[in-house]
Amino acid sequence: MNCNNPYSVRQAVCFHLDPKLSSSLAFVQFPQTFYNVCNNDIYNGRLRSIFKTMWPCIDGLQGPILSGTGFYIKRVALYGNPMQKDDDLLQLRSCLGNSNRFIASLHQNYHHNPTNGGTTISSKELLQEAELLASCSYEKDTQWGGQRGFLYHSIVEDYFSGFIMHSRGWKSVYYEPSSPAFLGSATITFNESMIQNLRWNSGLLEVGLSRFCPITYGLSRMSIPQAMSYGCLAFHSLYSFPLLCYATIPQLCLLKGISLYPKVSNPWFIIFAIVYISSLSEHMLEVLLCGDSLRTWWNEQRNWMIKSVASCPFSCLDVILKKIGIREANFMLTSKVIDEEQIEQYKKGIFHFQGSKLFLVPLATLVTTNMISLLGGLAKVISEASYDDMFVQVFLSFAILAFNYPIMEGMIFRKDNGRIPTSVSIISVIVSIIFLFLVSFLFF
């Protein structure tokens, strides 16, 4: 990310100097905007739902969640109460480190002075101070990461630090100027998008399962809607488990001719239809009100399904392994360097699947299971003329395959370098057959 509009400083300071707001305002958050995202954003790199819907909504509460970049923050909100001239220097060093000039800069009445006792500070001295502050050992045996600065308890330090600030009574403001204040590079490949999503959800769930859980720690320190906003993000990855059931159980029952939903002729069918259509319509209306197209809605629905089953389960597994001590926290960087072929495919709206098989195998397996279930179940429905009984399950299986058509295309039809590797397709077919056989033998 880089500053695209130097006037964003003045825009943020207008909020920080507002006498009605200044005393409680911690930071002004600008939206993250990306220069390399095309209109057909197949990987949802723009994060539209966050910066166009969620953040403007919670701006009416205590304010938006700290978003990593693109914000102007008060030092007192980040470092703690301002220092006084008579504070004990040794005690301050135990809290803030050994840089006298940095500690001096935190005094309430500090004014930058290029001279020190009448002597101009040399570039060498300033360089030594900078090296000290930048050293990897600077924060050892201090309160950095625990009570001051960005907190170290999670790999999503922005979310966690902002949560603690809001818990202490600070507020934030969301501001979206007509000219983007900051511009950056988004992930525009399948593999990097999955890695990024895994890292974010792992860090969020780690906070949710800690003593700083928004539903317990937050409810006593902030409003219920604000705590629920934090909790919604913290436990987002858990949504993968009901979605996995949604993508398998109705289809398996369809294959066996077992009806799970009311018949089309049953009055209760209308309730199921209204709930499902309302959910899709609510998201569609949200997208359209933000000035985006139906294609954006389709891409977001597709990404929600793909990421929920391809990366979110691994986020949950990652947190579990950390909790029981099998592995340590690992900050997985996402690469923004991609080749020309990937860029061209992205611009054409074509998924590029070359990358980690960790994400592709479960995704391809679920799609394969749905294809087998739909073909076998549809044949049974036609032969038994049970359209009234099995309509919902046929529709669900068809809808899932429609949303995940890029996976089917990558497995079956494509021959380019971005297709799903043949080894992944073979593994997914074998796993699907074994899974269907075991489920049929054990439960039917």
Side-chain angles (χ1 to χ4, degrees):
M1 301 293 290
N2 59 79
C3 185
N4 179 64
N5 181 4
Y7 293 106
S8 62
V9 181
R10 185 166 61 186
Q11 293 165 346
V13 168
C14 286
F15 290 102
H16 279 295
L17 295 181
D18 185 342
K20 296 181 180 179
L21 185 63
S22 179
S23 61
S24 61
L25 179 62
F27 60 91
V28 177
Q29 178 69 58
F30 290 80
Q32 292 183 15
T33 311
F34 306 99
Y35 61 81
N36 64 332
V37 175
C38 67
N39 290 330
N40 187 15
D41 183 20
I42 57 175
Y43 300 115
N44 194 27
R46 283 192 305 153
L47 306 174
R48 183 212 59 83
S49 62
I50 290 178
F51 295 113
K52 293 291 187 180
T53 302
M54 293 183 66
W55 272 212
C57 288
I58 58 177
D59 191 36
L61 302 173
Q62 278 183 258
I65 295 168
L66 196 66
S67 306
T69 60
F71 59 85
Y72 292 93
I73 189 169
K74 273 196 180 76
R75 282 153 60 101
V76 65
L78 189 62
Y79 301 146
N81 294 327
M83 306 296 109
Q84 305 299 325
K85 288 187 177 181
D86 56 351
D87 284 341
D88 181 38
L89 182 60
L90 291 177
Q91 184 178 2
L92 290 176
R93 283 186 170 186
S94 68
C95 297
L96 299 166
N98 297 319
S99 173
N100 292 337
R101 291 198 59 79
F102 175 75
I103 292 174
S105 73
L106 298 180
H107 282 296
Q108 191 170 20
N109 299 318
Y110 171 78
H111 295 287
H112 175 66
N113 190 342
T115 63
N116 186 6
T119 304
T120 302
I121 300 173
S122 68
S123 298
K124 182 179 179 180
E125 289 178 291
L126 289 176
L127 182 60
Q128 289 175 342
E129 286 287 323
E131 290 175 346
L132 173 64
L133 291 171
S135 67
C136 294
S137 60
Y138 177 78
E139 79 282 5
K140 286 184 178 179
D141 301 319
T142 69
Q143 294 179 357
W144 286 115
Q147 299 180 35
R148 299 178 187 274
F150 289 101
L151 306 181
Y152 298 168
H153 296 282
S154 172
I155 57 176
V156 284
E157 77 292 333
D158 50 353
Y159 168 91
F160 184 48
S161 301
F163 172 65
I164 296 300
M165 289 181 203
H166 281 137
S167 298
R168 291 171 178 168
W170 288 101
K171 294 182 180 179
S172 57
V173 164
Y174 185 68
Y175 182 64
E176 183 177 6
S178 55
S179 174
F182 297 87
L183 279 177
S185 175
T187 54
I188 56 173
T189 66
F190 176 83
N191 191 60
E192 299 303 327
S193 177
M194 293 297 110
I195 291 174
Q196 186 181 66
N197 191 67
L198 189 158
R199 183 183 74 238
W200 286 347
N201 281 296
S202 176
L204 292 170
L205 184 60
E206 191 175 21
V207 176
L209 297 180
S210 71
R211 67 184 183 91
F212 297 103
C213 173
I215 307 302
T216 54
Y217 185 88
L219 281 178
S220 61
R221 294 168 173 83
M222 60 180 66
S223 67
I224 293 177
Q226 186 79 11
M228 291 175 64
S229 299
Y230 274 101
C232 177
L233 290 175
F235 297 107
H236 174 76
S237 57
L238 297 181
Y239 202 93
S240 60
F241 297 107
L243 191 62
L244 285 169
C245 295
Y246 175 78
T248 54
I249 295 176
Q251 290 76 10
L252 294 172
C253 292
L254 171 64
L255 189 60
K256 287 295 180 178
I258 301 173
S259 177
L260 295 179
Y261 299 95
K263 299 178 180 180
V264 176
S265 57
N266 190 319
W268 284 101
F269 170 80
I270 298 175
I271 297 176
F272 279 81
I274 289 175
V275 170
Y276 183 76
I277 294 172
S278 297
S279 175
L280 295 179
S281 300
E282 181 271 334
H283 180 218
M284 185 183 299
L285 180 63
E286 169 195 312
V287 171
L288 295 176
L289 288 176
C290 288
D292 288 290
S293 63
L294 289 177
R295 185 168 60 181
T296 300
W297 168 81
W298 181 262
N299 285 333
E300 289 189 5
Q301 284 286 325
R302 186 165 59 188
N303 266 277
W304 166 67
M305 287 190 178
I306 291 175
K307 290 179 179 178
S308 292
V309 300
S311 66
C312 286
F314 293 106
S315 300
C316 299
L317 179 62
D318 185 58
V319 173
I320 292 172
L321 293 178
K322 291 174 189 175
K323 289 292 183 182
I324 61 180
I326 293 180
R327 62 170 295 171
E328 297 293 328
N330 181 23
F331 190 89
M332 297 167 289
L333 291 173
T334 49
S335 172
K336 304 299 191 302
V337 180
I338 54 179
D339 58 39
E340 289 298 324
E341 182 185 12
Q342 289 176 314
I343 294 175
E344 288 302 316
Q345 288 183 336
Y346 169 70
K347 290 180 178 179
K348 294 176 181 178
I350 301 173
F351 279 71
H352 188 93
F353 291 112
Q354 291 299 316
S356 175
K357 295 180 182 179
L358 177 72
F359 305 119
L360 290 173
V361 169
L363 193 58
T365 300
L366 279 175
V367 170
T368 303
T369 302
N370 271 263
M371 285 192 290
I372 295 173
S373 299
L374 179 61
L375 293 174
L378 197 57
K380 186 182 287 290
V381 168
I382 294 173
S383 64
E384 297 177 359
S386 54
Y387 309 104
D388 195 36
D389 293 335
M390 308 302 294
F391 172 79
V392 176
Q393 283 153 265
V394 171
F395 173 79
L396 283 177
S397 192
F398 178 79
I400 288 174
L401 290 177
F403 280 116
N404 290 278
Y405 175 75
I407 312 299
M408 296 170 55
E409 183 184 42
M411 293 173 63
I412 302 171
F413 304 113
R414 288 173 56 183
K415 304 299 180 184
D416 57 89
N417 292 332
R419 71 186 303 273
I420 292 177
T422 304
S423 59
V424 172
S425 300
I426 294 173
I427 292 172
S428 68
V429 171
I430 294 172
V431 173
S432 296
I433 293 173
I434 294 173
F435 174 71
L436 290 170
F437 176 78
L438 289 175
V439 170
S440 178
F441 179 75
L442 294 174
F443 299 104
F444 296 104

